[in-house]
Amino acid sequence: MADTRRALITGITGQDGGHLAQLLNEKGYEVFGLLRGQHNPRRAEVERDMPYVHLIEGDLTDPTSLVRAVETSNPDELYNLAAVSHVGYSFKNPSLTADVTAKGVLNVLEAVRVTGREQATRVYQASTSEMFGGLDYNRPGAGYNENSLFHPRSPYGVAKLYGHWIAKNYRESYDMFVSCGILFNHEGERRGVEFVTRKITHAVARIKLGLQPQIELGDLWPKRDWGYAGDFVEGMWRMLQHSEPDDFVLATGETHSIEEFLTLAFGEVGIDDWRPYVTQNPAFMRPAEVDILLGDPSKAEKVLGWERKVDFPGLVSLMVAHDLRLAEAQRLSV
Ligand code: NAP
Ligand code: F7E
């Protein structure tokens, strides 16, 4: 019988880290997770929900801690999901974003290389549709693919572009198996409430139960290609099982505005007109916006056999249902 495969996940406390850890555990992997901070408030959550994960302390900005994490976990697969990932926050903290989201990738790759695991560890780098920026969208009806031009519109997008290119550089320079997933927005029950979809479904549930009167948002016209995180982590895993390292877009091939998301989310609780419940606050608007994102996942579908299972209405529905359960529990506890 083959040895148990070992995987190290950075960003274990994040949305994708949770979905991926669950998937890898179901597939029989021994799962390690990098946890940062002296007293990370999300440690207890991980220990409760994912008791099978071995936590290793470390930080993407601390190269020594990454070397230690690689030595301890000795991974066959390393999924680099850790990042400063909020676009709005990256405008307010651009230097931190560069340290973690850009240079942190270099630190991870170097940790694999200096520990002599460059041929033994396959690396997944979490690249993003934010690298495209939406401005040069000139393929009506078609989406961005692996050959589209990059034009990032935020410190986050710029930092991710460095991460993307340094990952490709290590693939080419050191013959390392490093694959980049260029993922469009993906959401779900584990999404942070600082992101617009979860902010909306969380508020819709609370408005329905009388726990809050309104929700404040920024611009409502931007469009995103929103998929389900559970489907997307399956694509990450498939990238590392493929015979060659490569870049792959994961997307749904549909794009929807925030207004459309609001309509479906409020509709889930029987509210036909969301306008009385939504106010706009410039604090949630960005110095530069990504107007529209639409991805073309045909390469991943063809080469990896990847497919998404949850569609846009299904995504909104499962998120609202989850938040209604949470809000109901909260109402009963007060
Ligand atoms: P997320 O929920 O924001 O999670 C980010 C993770 O990074 C958290 O576990 C966080 O830990 C960790 N982290 C932040 N700074 C760190 C540091 N200095 N050292 C170590 N860990 C650090 O992000 P996500 O939605 O799961 O996304 C996963 C990855 O995919 C990210 O790289 C993101 O940029 C990228 N991505 C996401 C999407 C999407 O739509 N979700 C799309 C494309 C690409 P703490 O809990 O300690 O803060
Ligand atoms: O914003 C608008 C906002 O923060 C979506 C990250 O996972 O996906 C994510 O980045 C849109 C933007 O996600 C609010 O201006 C309006 O147009 O949910 P978001 P994002 O910026 O698309 C990409 C692919 C990643 O890689 C990132 O890591 O919604 N918007 N009002 C708002 N956004 C937020 N957060 N809050 C608002 O109140």
Side-chain angles (χ1 to χ4, degrees), residues 4-13 17-18 20-22 24-25 28-35 46 50-57 68-81:
T4 303
R5 282 180 292 173
R6 299 156 71 94
L8 172 61
I9 302 173
T10 73
I12 190 71
T13 54
L20 182 64
Q22 190 181 333
L24 296 179
N25 181 54
Y29 281 71
E30 187 166 9
V31 183
F32 297 80
L34 190 82
L35 185 81
V46 176
M50 299 175 265
Y52 48 83
V53 173
H54 307 284
L55 290 172
I56 304 173
E57 287 171 7
R68 201 170 45 235
V70 170
E71 282 175 345
T72 306
S73 57
N74 194 19
D76 301 296
E77 297 169 19
L78 191 164
Y79 295 85
N80 184 35
L81 308 184

Side-chain angles (χ1 to χ4, degrees), residues 85 128 156 185 191 194 196 199 218-219 224 258 286 289:
S85 79
T128 169
Y156 168 75
N185 298 54
R191 189 57 144 156
E194 67 273 32
V196 75
K199 186 173 171 181
D219 288 317
R224 292 290 183 272
I258 295 156
R286 294 163 185 182
E289 183 55 87

Side-chain angles (χ1 to χ4, degrees), residues 15 83-88 126-131 156 160 183-187 191 193-199 215-224 226 258 280-281 284-286 288-291 293:
Q15 170 186 252
V84 170
S85 79
H86 192 269
V87 173
S127 293
T128 169
S129 53
E130 282 291 305
M131 301 186 309
Y156 168 75
K160 278 287 180 184
L183 270 52
F184 284 65
N185 298 54
H186 45 281
E187 320 290 317
R191 189 57 144 156
V193 288
E194 67 273 32
F195 299 95
V196 75
T197 54
R198 186 76 197 284
K199 186 173 171 181
I215 175 173
E216 283 189 352
L217 295 172
D219 288 317
L220 304 183
W221 46 264
K223 293 177 123 184
R224 292 290 183 272
W226 278 301
I258 295 156
Q280 281 191 278
N281 183 340
F284 297 112
M285 296 171 189
R286 294 163 185 182
E289 183 55 87
V290 172
D291 297 352
L293 286 176

Side-chain angles (χ1 to χ4, degrees), residues 101-332:
T101 305
K103 196 165 170 229
V105 183
L106 175 67
N107 293 340
V108 167
L109 294 165
E110 273 295 280
V112 173
R113 206 173 69 83
V114 303
T115 53
R117 294 201 56 87
E118 65 267 49
Q119 301 307 318
T121 301
R122 294 186 168 198
V123 179
Y124 172 85
Q125 170 54 23
S127 293
T128 169
S129 53
E130 282 291 305
M131 301 186 309
F132 297 126
L135 266 191
D136 302 318
Y137 185 77
N138 54 11
R139 306 177 69 224
Y144 286 108
N145 65 23
E146 294 78 5
N147 302 315
S148 300
L149 286 179
F150 296 127
H151 186 148
R153 297 265 291 159
S154 64
Y156 168 75
V158 173
K160 278 287 180 184
L161 197 50
Y162 174 85
H164 184 71
W165 280 110
I166 200 68
K168 285 167 76 87
N169 178 257
Y170 271 54
R171 183 196 301 162
E172 292 168 7
S173 306
Y174 304 114
D175 195 26
M176 284 172 63
F177 193 114
V178 185
S179 285
C180 300
I182 307 174
L183 270 52
F184 284 65
N185 298 54
H186 45 281
E187 320 290 317
E189 311 91 328
R190 297 177 193 267
R191 189 57 144 156
V193 288
E194 67 273 32
F195 299 95
V196 75
T197 54
R198 186 76 197 284
K199 186 173 171 181
I200 291 171
T201 60
H202 182 250
V204 162
R206 290 171 54 81
I207 289 168
K208 176 67 181 172
L209 297 186
L211 294 169
Q212 82 181 59
Q214 279 195 322
I215 175 173
E216 283 189 352
L217 295 172
D219 288 317
L220 304 183
W221 46 264
K223 293 177 123 184
R224 292 290 183 272
D225 181 330
W226 278 301
Y228 179 52
D231 290 342
F232 281 46
V233 296
E234 166 80 24
M236 295 176 187
W237 176 77
R238 283 178 182 248
M239 286 179 215
L240 293 199
Q241 312 316 306
H242 188 51
S243 52
E244 303 291 333
D246 204 344
D247 304 328
F248 295 95
V249 162
L250 297 185
T252 72
E254 284 178 32
T255 189
H256 298 278
S257 67
I258 295 156
E259 292 196 347
E260 289 173 79
F261 195 99
L262 282 165
T263 301
L264 285 187
F266 275 93
E268 285 288 318
V269 298
I271 298 174
D272 292 335
D273 184 7
W274 48 263
R275 283 169 184 80
Y277 301 98
V278 176
T279 56
Q280 281 191 278
N281 183 340
F284 297 112
M285 296 171 189
R286 294 163 185 182
E289 183 55 87
V290 172
D291 297 352
I292 175 169
L293 286 176
L294 172 65
D296 169 8
S298 48
K299 178 177 171 185
E301 289 169 352
K302 193 168 160 224
V303 177
L304 303 176
W306 178 74
E307 59 176 358
R308 64 151 172 153
K309 299 190 176 74
V310 179
D311 64 7
F312 181 60
L315 172 68
V316 179
S317 182
L318 73 83
M319 290 179 72
V320 172
H322 176 76
D323 280 330
L324 276 171
R325 285 192 293 275
L326 289 186
E328 187 59 45
Q330 195 189 351
R331 187 171 67 165
L332 292 175

